[in-house]
Amino acid sequence: MLAYAAGDASAFERLYARHRGPLYRFLLRNLRDGALADEFFQDVWQRVITARQGWKPEAAFTTWLFRIAHNRLNDHWRAARHRPPAPEDADERTARVPDPDTPERQLSEFEQRRRLQLALAELPEEQRQVVQLRLEQELSLEEIGDITGVGRETVKSRLRYAMDKLRARLNE
């Protein structure tokens, strides 16, 4: 660990190779949930990486590593005790919540984007260009004027006419 703290990346690889199996088994035995053990495993190693420069060899690395894991588990169990239990009808409630990402909604959003693209294509070139520069590139009226070679008021006028046409077309 001292070598890793000094900047030797290969030292971390050796530490990881030596301790990953025992640490993961410790977490899995305590949590009894593979996904949660994976999450905690990553978190413990992230804490090792974060604390590397301040590490002092007051105990063996293994002791320190497992102390981090132990404290992380304690935090988890403490939080779990203070968390109210799920209601008995939680599954039913969850099933009643509408899924916002349904195929119908995706199709509807696709159709709306397609209608907008078609409406944009119907605009005169100078209006379409101004709309695209304003909405897609988020440029100011002055910047659009510099790009298109017209004054700010002309840009403003083209943008207003284009937006009016788009609203009318999309509200049909």
Side-chain angles (χ1 to χ4, degrees):
M1 184 62 185
L2 287 173
Y4 175 56
D8 182 0
S10 65
F12 176 78
E13 292 171 12
R14 289 190 301 275
L15 285 171
Y16 183 79
R18 185 179 307 149
H19 298 285
R20 71 178 178 204
L23 175 64
Y24 186 77
R25 286 189 296 276
F26 172 75
L27 292 168
L28 189 57
R29 276 193 301 270
N30 279 280
L31 293 166
R32 296 185 186 105
D33 178 343
L36 200 53
D38 289 346
E39 180 183 330
F40 278 48
F41 181 78
Q42 294 296 324
D43 185 51
V44 169
W45 284 109
Q46 184 60 48
R47 290 175 189 220
V48 168
I49 291 167
T50 302
R52 77 170 187 241
Q53 291 177 339
W55 187 75
K56 301 284 187 257
E58 296 165 355
F61 175 77
T62 304
T63 305
W64 182 66
L65 178 68
F66 279 83
R67 171 58 66 189
I68 293 171
H70 172 77
N71 289 343
R72 182 64 180 91
L73 288 168
N74 282 344
D75 292 344
H76 171 72
W77 299 126
R78 190 175 307 115
R81 275 195 306 271
H82 295 293
R83 191 173 300 137
E88 290 183 19
D89 64 341
D91 291 335
E92 293 171 29
R93 289 182 185 188
T94 303
R96 287 191 305 248
V97 173
D99 183 4
D101 200 26
T102 63
E104 293 82 11
R105 181 171 177 187
Q106 289 178 354
L107 180 60
S108 174
E109 289 175 359
F110 173 78
E111 288 172 350
Q112 289 174 358
R113 284 192 303 273
R114 184 70 184 135
R115 287 182 64 217
L116 178 60
Q117 289 172 347
L118 291 172
L120 278 168
E122 293 174 1
L123 290 176
E125 177 62 30
E126 65 274 356
Q127 291 177 4
R128 181 174 52 251
Q129 196 174 55
V130 167
V131 168
Q132 289 172 334
L133 290 171
R134 182 72 176 143
L135 299 180
E136 293 174 8
Q137 304 303 317
E138 299 179 356
L139 298 176
S140 69
L141 299 177
E142 291 79 12
E143 291 169 319
I144 296 170
D146 290 342
I147 292 169
T148 59
V150 298
R152 180 182 190 281
E153 290 304 312
T154 303
V155 170
K156 198 171 165 181
S157 175
R158 288 179 182 173
L159 188 58
R160 187 180 72 244
Y161 285 125
M163 295 305 286
D164 288 345
K165 288 178 184 177
L166 288 174
R167 275 189 209 94
R169 181 71 168 98
L170 293 174
N171 287 330
E172 289 179 346

